Short mmCIF file of all heavy atoms in Angstrom, two decimals:
data_model
loop_
_atom_site.label_atom_id
_atom_site.label_comp_id
_atom_site.label_asym_id
_atom_site.label_seq_id
_atom_site.Cartn_x
_atom_site.Cartn_y
_atom_site.Cartn_z
N ARG Z 92 146.69 -99.39 271.51
CA ARG Z 92 145.72 -100.48 271.18
C ARG Z 92 146.19 -101.73 271.91
O ARG Z 92 147.39 -102.07 271.82
CB ARG Z 92 145.68 -100.69 269.68
CG ARG Z 92 144.61 -101.66 269.23
CD ARG Z 92 144.45 -101.56 267.70
NE ARG Z 92 144.08 -100.20 267.36
CZ ARG Z 92 144.13 -99.77 266.07
NH1 ARG Z 92 144.58 -100.53 265.12
NH2 ARG Z 92 143.79 -98.50 265.79
N ASN Z 93 145.30 -102.39 272.53
CA ASN Z 93 145.70 -103.55 273.34
C ASN Z 93 145.54 -104.88 272.65
O ASN Z 93 145.75 -105.92 273.22
CB ASN Z 93 144.97 -103.59 274.66
CG ASN Z 93 145.40 -102.43 275.56
OD1 ASN Z 93 146.55 -102.12 275.59
ND2 ASN Z 93 144.46 -101.81 276.20
N THR Z 94 145.16 -104.86 271.38
CA THR Z 94 145.10 -106.11 270.60
C THR Z 94 145.64 -105.79 269.18
O THR Z 94 145.57 -104.67 268.74
CB THR Z 94 143.71 -106.65 270.46
OG1 THR Z 94 142.86 -105.62 269.85
CG2 THR Z 94 143.08 -106.95 271.85
N GLY Z 95 146.19 -106.82 268.56
CA GLY Z 95 146.60 -106.65 267.18
C GLY Z 95 147.80 -105.76 267.01
O GLY Z 95 148.75 -105.82 267.78
N PHE Z 96 147.71 -104.89 266.03
CA PHE Z 96 148.82 -104.06 265.61
C PHE Z 96 149.29 -103.18 266.77
O PHE Z 96 148.51 -102.51 267.42
CB PHE Z 96 148.31 -103.19 264.46
CG PHE Z 96 149.35 -102.29 263.86
CD1 PHE Z 96 150.53 -102.81 263.37
CD2 PHE Z 96 149.10 -100.97 263.73
CE1 PHE Z 96 151.45 -102.01 262.78
CE2 PHE Z 96 150.09 -100.13 263.14
CZ PHE Z 96 151.24 -100.65 262.65
N GLN Z 97 150.62 -103.12 267.04
CA GLN Z 97 151.10 -102.46 268.22
C GLN Z 97 152.20 -101.47 267.94
O GLN Z 97 153.05 -101.18 268.77
CB GLN Z 97 151.63 -103.52 269.21
CG GLN Z 97 150.52 -104.37 269.82
CD GLN Z 97 149.59 -103.58 270.68
OE1 GLN Z 97 149.91 -102.47 271.10
NE2 GLN Z 97 148.45 -104.15 271.00
N LYS Z 98 152.23 -100.92 266.68
CA LYS Z 98 153.15 -99.84 266.43
C LYS Z 98 152.65 -98.60 267.17
O LYS Z 98 151.50 -98.25 267.06
CB LYS Z 98 153.26 -99.57 264.95
CG LYS Z 98 154.26 -98.52 264.56
CD LYS Z 98 154.32 -98.43 263.04
CE LYS Z 98 155.27 -97.31 262.60
NZ LYS Z 98 155.39 -97.29 261.12
N LEU Z 99 153.54 -97.97 267.88
CA LEU Z 99 153.10 -96.80 268.71
C LEU Z 99 153.82 -95.54 268.24
O LEU Z 99 155.00 -95.59 267.92
CB LEU Z 99 153.40 -97.10 270.17
CG LEU Z 99 152.66 -98.23 270.78
CD1 LEU Z 99 153.15 -98.51 272.21
CD2 LEU Z 99 151.16 -97.96 270.82
N VAL Z 100 153.10 -94.47 268.23
CA VAL Z 100 153.64 -93.20 267.79
C VAL Z 100 153.49 -92.18 268.87
O VAL Z 100 152.36 -91.74 269.17
CB VAL Z 100 152.97 -92.72 266.52
CG1 VAL Z 100 153.58 -91.41 266.07
CG2 VAL Z 100 153.11 -93.77 265.38
N PHE Z 101 154.54 -91.78 269.49
CA PHE Z 101 154.53 -90.69 270.46
C PHE Z 101 154.56 -89.36 269.71
O PHE Z 101 155.24 -89.24 268.72
CB PHE Z 101 155.74 -90.75 271.38
CG PHE Z 101 155.61 -91.64 272.55
CD1 PHE Z 101 155.86 -92.96 272.47
CD2 PHE Z 101 155.25 -91.12 273.80
CE1 PHE Z 101 155.73 -93.81 273.53
CE2 PHE Z 101 155.15 -91.96 274.88
CZ PHE Z 101 155.38 -93.29 274.77
N GLY Z 102 153.85 -88.39 270.20
CA GLY Z 102 154.01 -87.03 269.69
C GLY Z 102 155.23 -86.39 270.32
O GLY Z 102 156.00 -87.05 271.01
N THR Z 103 155.37 -85.12 270.08
CA THR Z 103 156.52 -84.40 270.69
C THR Z 103 156.28 -84.02 272.14
O THR Z 103 157.19 -83.58 272.80
CB THR Z 103 156.85 -83.13 269.87
OG1 THR Z 103 155.66 -82.34 269.76
CG2 THR Z 103 157.37 -83.54 268.48
N GLY Z 104 155.10 -84.21 272.62
CA GLY Z 104 154.79 -83.91 274.00
C GLY Z 104 154.59 -82.49 274.33
O GLY Z 104 154.83 -81.58 273.48
N THR Z 105 154.14 -82.18 275.54
CA THR Z 105 153.95 -80.83 276.03
C THR Z 105 154.91 -80.57 277.17
O THR Z 105 154.88 -81.29 278.19
CB THR Z 105 152.52 -80.62 276.54
OG1 THR Z 105 151.60 -80.80 275.44
CG2 THR Z 105 152.35 -79.22 277.12
N ARG Z 106 155.73 -79.58 277.02
CA ARG Z 106 156.68 -79.21 278.11
C ARG Z 106 156.01 -78.26 279.04
O ARG Z 106 155.70 -77.11 278.67
CB ARG Z 106 157.95 -78.60 277.48
CG ARG Z 106 159.09 -78.38 278.46
CD ARG Z 106 160.32 -77.90 277.74
NE ARG Z 106 160.79 -78.84 276.77
CZ ARG Z 106 161.55 -79.88 277.02
NH1 ARG Z 106 161.98 -80.09 278.30
NH2 ARG Z 106 161.92 -80.72 276.09
N LEU Z 107 155.77 -78.70 280.25
CA LEU Z 107 155.11 -77.90 281.26
C LEU Z 107 156.17 -77.33 282.22
O LEU Z 107 157.00 -78.07 282.77
CB LEU Z 107 154.13 -78.72 282.10
CG LEU Z 107 153.47 -78.04 283.29
CD1 LEU Z 107 152.60 -76.89 282.86
CD2 LEU Z 107 152.69 -79.04 284.14
N LEU Z 108 156.15 -76.00 282.37
CA LEU Z 108 157.06 -75.36 283.30
C LEU Z 108 156.22 -74.72 284.40
O LEU Z 108 155.35 -73.90 284.12
CB LEU Z 108 157.85 -74.26 282.57
CG LEU Z 108 158.71 -73.38 283.45
CD1 LEU Z 108 159.80 -74.25 284.18
CD2 LEU Z 108 159.38 -72.29 282.65
N VAL Z 109 156.44 -75.13 285.63
CA VAL Z 109 155.76 -74.58 286.80
C VAL Z 109 156.72 -73.67 287.52
O VAL Z 109 157.80 -74.09 287.93
CB VAL Z 109 155.26 -75.70 287.70
CG1 VAL Z 109 154.50 -75.11 288.90
CG2 VAL Z 109 154.36 -76.67 286.95
N SER Z 110 156.26 -72.46 287.70
CA SER Z 110 157.10 -71.44 288.41
C SER Z 110 156.54 -71.10 289.78
O SER Z 110 155.34 -71.31 290.00
CB SER Z 110 157.15 -70.15 287.57
OG SER Z 110 157.66 -70.38 286.30
N PRO Z 111 157.43 -70.62 290.65
CA PRO Z 111 156.99 -70.28 292.03
C PRO Z 111 155.99 -69.15 291.99
O PRO Z 111 156.00 -68.30 291.13
CB PRO Z 111 158.29 -69.87 292.75
CG PRO Z 111 159.37 -70.39 291.92
CD PRO Z 111 158.86 -70.46 290.47
#
Side-chain angles (χ1 to χ4, degrees):
Chain Z
R92 186 168 301 167
N93 291 321
T94 58
F96 185 54
Q97 292 292 346
K98 182 175 178 178
L99 296 173
V100 180
F101 275 84
T103 53
T105 298
R106 188 174 300 276
L107 173 65
L108 175 63
V109 180
S110 301

